[in-house]
Amino acid sequence: MIKYFLNITYIIASYLLITSCASPSTPTGGPRDTIPPVLINSIPFNQSLNYKGKSITLEFDERITTDKIKDQLIITPLTASEYEYTIKKNALKITFEEPFSDSTTYSLNFRESIQDITEGNPTDDNKFTFSTGSYIDSMSITGYVKELLTYDTLENVIIGLYRAQDTITIFDGSPYYFTEIQEDGSYLIENIKNGKYLLYAFIDANKNLQLETNKEAHAFSKDTILLDTGRYTKNLDLIHLDLTEFKVMTALASGKYFDINFNKYIYDYDILPINNDHIFVSNKAKENKSIRIYNNFAAADSLQLAFAATDSINSLLTDTLYVQFSDSRRKPDDLLIDVAPKTRSSINPDFHVEINFNKPIVSYNLDSIFVRYDTTKISQVSDTTFQWFKYRDRLSFEVSIDRTLIDTIEAQKKRIAEAKKDSVQNLPKDDNPKQQISTKEKKSTPKMNQGLQLYFGQGAFYSADNDTSTSFGNSYKFIDPTDFGIQDIEVSTNYKSYNIQLLKENFEIVQEKSNEKTFSLTNLEPGKYKIRVLIDANNDGVWSPGNMHEQIEPEPVYIYPDVIVIRADWQTSLTLSF
């Protein structure tokens, strides 16, 4: 009986041990799956010829899923046919509503849309090609795309080829062949049919494969590209320009003014009287989208004028109209004045001043513009260097300090150091000098003259609205050269006309030089800088951003590849070659 019981106990224990070992459980540890799915079969085969079907099936070596396939899948040439897709375990099937075009090579770039179901590893076999004809088209185009004025690589950039014979453009249709740039700014379009094409690039933030004329950066090749042998290389430079058609929105009296309102930024304009000799006083207003005409009419009658205006891409708009003012109780805009350098800036004894006004200045009172060194020392500003810009809402001039009224920085430093030395030498030898300088002695130590004030008295400027400026002043301190750095630059180039810009890291312009071969940038605050060169290739005196409507490419831009590091009391040099 005991033997029988032991046998039964042994059988039950063995059964429990076996069933316990056989029970499923979640495995722990082990290496993570990093191997992507591998394509093992397809219908049709990759690189197939004479394919007449409407579906494509891809079979992988493991279970798959998709991630935003309709956003990521690029099909070229572009097809208008809609498609549906299904996934069954390790196979993806795409079915198109319409048949493919005859004698055409199609490329499907899935990018990272096909992934394994466990870890989301995207397949390496992300491009699939077949032909409905007897051969695979073999033309290709490659290159790099960057932002012209910064050399940055941008996101969501589409590079597209448009068939030269088509009427579809970048503004109203999608490219025939296209791709998206890689992280390094490179692009490659393969399996292109022999032919002539127009090449464009644009930021496609809204994913509609069309350029939004007033929002998205763009680039283009002005020449038609013939693809008939091998691989073609073309780099493109993106630029942000408003390509909207330039037009007048309204022209009407507005309070005290008559405004000609445009739909976009005005770069420049001219006004001429018609059948009268009136001199129109005007300037740009409303964020430079309006020409504002001021009421200096002798009578209430209307006067006719002609205007010619250009926008940022040099599109010209001309028209004629009548100007007539209405009675209005609305007060004119306040006279606003912006002076550079800003108050509390550091300056040299000779410095440049630029003043911007929000309306034209018809006269000024020179007696109310002067430099004040202290309460007793002042000097009059000379108007011999006054330069009024086109619309008389901008004034620049030079200020030269009267050195008989002020010490130089070096002389003041020397005078103060000598005074302190004399004070210490007159103390008892066995006393602590720091503790023995009396309040009276401290007050007798000469002080360095810290700067000056550029002062504008009441009524210094008289505007087209018959109002005058209030009194104001900007205070400045003199530059101590030891607090700043110097950058010497030598230029090696065959270009005759160019503008060299020293920029902060955020691309804010610090200093500029034009058409000089050897020069120094002085009084630079310590920090990191960039150098950009705008090249006026056609020597017309102005760098042009181009105009896609007229197939005019932007003029070249060169950015020095290294960061410029400026240190206090240091002088460095470099050579610009472009």
Side-chain angles (χ1 to χ4, degrees), residues 4 12 28 98-99 138 271 354 427:
Y4 175 78
I12 293 172
T28 59
E98 304 292 335
S138 59
I271 288 179
E354 190 160 292
L427 293 174

Side-chain angles (χ1 to χ4, degrees), residues 71 180 282 293 328 528:
D71 289 335
E180 192 168 353
S282 66
I293 300 173
S328 175
K528 295 181 179 180

Side-chain angles (χ1 to χ4, degrees), residues 18 31 74 76 88 139 160 231 250 324 332 400 428 464 497 523 566 573:
I18 292 170
I74 295 177
T76 57
K88 188 175 181 180
M139 298 300 102
R231 176 169 292 184
T250 59
Q324 186 170 23
S400 296
S497 181
N523 304 323
I566 299 297
S573 61

Side-chain angles (χ1 to χ4, degrees), residues 267-538:
Y267 178 74
D268 195 11
Y269 74 89
D270 288 293
I271 288 179
L272 293 173
I274 298 178
N275 299 324
N276 63 83
D277 57 0
H278 184 77
I279 299 175
F280 290 94
V281 178
S282 66
N283 73 330
K284 290 184 282 190
K286 299 178 182 178
E287 298 180 339
N288 290 337
K289 290 186 177 182
S290 296
I291 298 174
R292 172 159 291 174
I293 300 173
Y294 294 79
N295 190 357
N296 64 341
F297 287 21
D301 294 336
S302 62
L303 293 176
Q304 190 178 19
L305 62 77
F307 71 83
T310 55
D311 63 5
S312 58
I313 59 174
N314 206 34
S315 296
L316 176 64
L317 178 61
T318 61
D319 205 347
T320 61
L321 54 84
Y322 284 91
V323 176
Q324 186 170 23
F325 294 90
S326 60
D327 293 332
S328 175
R329 295 183 179 180
R330 189 188 305 175
K331 292 183 179 180
D333 294 344
D334 292 333
L335 177 57
L336 303 179
I337 302 175
D338 181 61
V339 180
K342 301 291 186 184
T343 190
R344 293 187 292 276
S345 298
S346 297
I347 60 167
N348 282 311
D350 295 327
F351 63 101
H352 178 79
V353 177
E354 190 160 292
I355 307 177
N356 286 284
F357 307 87
N358 65 325
K359 43 190 169 181
I361 300 301
V362 295
S363 65
Y364 60 90
N365 181 8
L366 192 60
D367 292 338
S368 297
I369 308 173
F370 52 86
V371 176
R372 184 156 55 191
Y373 304 99
D374 56 35
T375 55
T376 61
K377 298 178 182 179
I378 65 171
S379 65
Q380 195 74 50
V381 170
S382 172
D383 62 356
T384 56
T385 63
F386 274 25
Q387 181 179 356
W388 288 98
F389 288 74
K390 186 173 182 178
Y391 314 113
R392 287 190 68 87
D393 57 0
R394 184 178 170 195
L395 168 66
S396 70
F397 59 92
E398 308 298 323
V399 175
S400 296
I401 302 304
D402 187 346
R403 286 167 173 77
T404 63
L405 300 178
I406 191 168
D407 290 337
T408 64
I409 293 291
E410 292 77 9
Q412 292 177 65
K413 281 185 175 181
K414 182 178 180 180
R415 180 163 52 87
I416 292 172
E418 290 175 350
K420 288 182 177 179
K421 181 179 179 181
D422 292 340
S423 298
V424 173
Q425 289 176 345
N426 292 332
L427 293 174
K429 292 182 180 181
D430 55 348
D431 289 333
N432 188 337
K434 292 184 180 180
Q435 297 176 349
Q436 294 298 319
I437 298 179
S438 66
T439 303
K440 182 177 180 180
E441 288 169 334
K442 286 181 181 180
K443 288 182 177 180
S444 64
T445 301
K447 293 183 179 180
M448 183 183 296
N449 191 323
Q450 294 298 314
L452 53 81
Q453 183 185 55
L454 180 60
Y455 185 79
F456 302 86
Q458 175 75 32
F461 300 104
Y462 188 83
S463 87
D465 269 333
N466 300 319
D467 57 347
T468 59
S469 59
T470 59
S471 60
F472 67 97
N474 277 19
S475 297
Y476 303 114
K477 59 182 179 180
F478 291 116
I479 283 176
D480 183 346
T482 61
D483 292 335
F484 298 87
I486 299 174
Q487 180 66 61
D488 297 328
I489 294 179
E490 184 173 338
V491 177
S492 175
T493 183
N494 291 325
Y495 289 106
K496 296 179 180 179
S497 181
Y498 49 86
N499 184 38
I500 299 173
Q501 301 173 326
L502 182 73
L503 312 168
K504 292 183 179 180
E505 289 190 291
N506 63 357
F507 287 90
E508 177 186 344
I509 299 174
V510 179
Q511 291 188 32
E512 296 181 90
K513 293 285 185 180
S514 295
N515 307 331
E516 296 189 29
K517 288 296 185 76
T518 304
F519 58 91
S520 296
L521 301 174
T522 60
N523 304 323
L524 302 178
E525 294 183 356
K528 295 181 179 180
Y529 297 85
K530 300 174 181 287
I531 292 180
R532 178 173 65 198
V533 183
L534 305 181
I535 300 171
D536 173 26
N538 63 2

Side-chain angles (χ1 to χ4, degrees), residues 154-168:
L154 304 181
E155 297 180 347
N156 300 317
V157 177
I158 294 293
I159 297 89
L161 285 172
Y162 297 74
R163 292 183 294 189
Q165 71 271 22
D166 288 350
T167 57
I168 294 174

Side-chain angles (χ1 to χ4, degrees), residues 48-72:
S48 288
L49 305 178
N50 299 308
Y51 182 65
K52 305 304 180 183
K54 293 199 298 183
S55 65
I56 296 167
T57 301
L58 305 177
E59 184 181 347
F60 295 87
D61 65 344
E62 60 177 310
R63 285 190 144 191
I64 60 167
T65 186
T66 58
D67 179 33
K68 299 178 180 178
I69 188 170
K70 290 207 170 184
D71 289 335
Q72 293 209 54

